[in-house]
Amino acid sequence: MAVLTAFDADHTEWRLSDLARHLDLPTSTLHEQLTALTATGLLLRAGRGRYRLGWRLLKLSSALYGSLPWYAPAHDAMEDVARALHHLAFLCVMDGEARVLCIARSVQGRDGPPVAGELDFELPAHASASGKLLLALAGRALPGGVPAFTDRTVTRAGDWAREAQEIRAQGYAVTRDEWAAGTGSLAVPIRDADGRVLAALGVSLPTTRLRTPDTLLRVVQDAADRVSWGLGWRSR
C-alpha cells in the first residue's frame, strides 16, 4: 500500500532509487515488491528502473464506482455545479472515523486563482467545508491533535461543538481562511432514501467570493437535492 500510495498527481512515475529513498526501504526489498506489483498489473514498467501505475487499477476503480449507485448522478451534479459557478467543485466522502477523501473534482469553466488542496485526495476534516459537514452530520467529535493551519482553524473541542450544532441546524458548512489564507469552501450533503449522508457536494473558491454565499448555496443545494430526490430522500 505504501508503494501504491506514493504515486499521485505530482509523482506519476518513480525511479527505483528515488522511491526507495522516499519510502526509506532498501532497494533490494523494494525491487521485490515492485516486481510482485508489476506481475499483478497494479504497476507497469515504464523503462529501465522506472514504474507507473498499472491498468488493472482502472478495473478496480470501475468495480468500486459500479458498487455505488449514487456516484454517477452525484458526479453529474458536481459537473453541473462547476459549470454554473465557474469554481472548483468537489465530491467527498468520509472514510473511517474522521478521514475525509475527495473522490472527484471538476474545474470545468473555473474562473479564478488556485485554491488550497486542488489536487489533495485526503482533506483536513476540521478545516474543509466537506470535512466539517461530514463530521457534524455524523455526530463526530473533533479529531484529537488537529493542526492549526491558520489563526481561524478550529482546534478546540468546545468551539467545534458549537459549530457542529450550527452546521446540523442549517444543513450546510462553510469555511473561510481555515485551511489556507485566501481559500474558502461550501458543502452540502447528498442523502439516500433513509436520510443517511452519502457524500458532501460543494465548491472551493477564493474567500473574497464568499462574502455573499446565498447564490452559491442555492446552486449547490439544488444540485445535491436533485440527486437525493432521485435516490428516494424526502426531507421533512
Side-chain angles (χ1 to χ4, degrees), residues 1 4-10 61 64-65 68 71 88 90-96 98-105 116-125 128 130-131 134 179:
M1 287 303 300
L4 290 175
T5 55
F7 292 85
D8 56 26
D10 296 321
S61 64
L64 171 60
Y65 292 136
L68 304 173
Y71 178 77
L88 173 70
F90 55 79
L91 192 64
C92 298
V93 297
M94 180 173 285
D95 179 42
R99 212 164 64 116
V100 175
L101 307 179
C102 185
I103 59 173
R105 56 174 56 84
E118 286 199 13
L119 298 177
D120 287 25
F121 178 57
E122 185 171 349
L123 307 184
S128 60
S130 55
L134 295 171
W179 188 354

Side-chain angles (χ1 to χ4, degrees), residues 45-69:
R45 289 195 65 178
R48 185 176 178 83
R50 303 200 312 274
Y51 296 84
R52 301 175 66 93
L53 293 176
W55 292 106
R56 189 177 179 85
L57 288 169
L58 285 179
K59 180 180 180 181
L60 294 176
S61 64
S62 297
L64 171 60
Y65 292 136
S67 70
L68 304 173

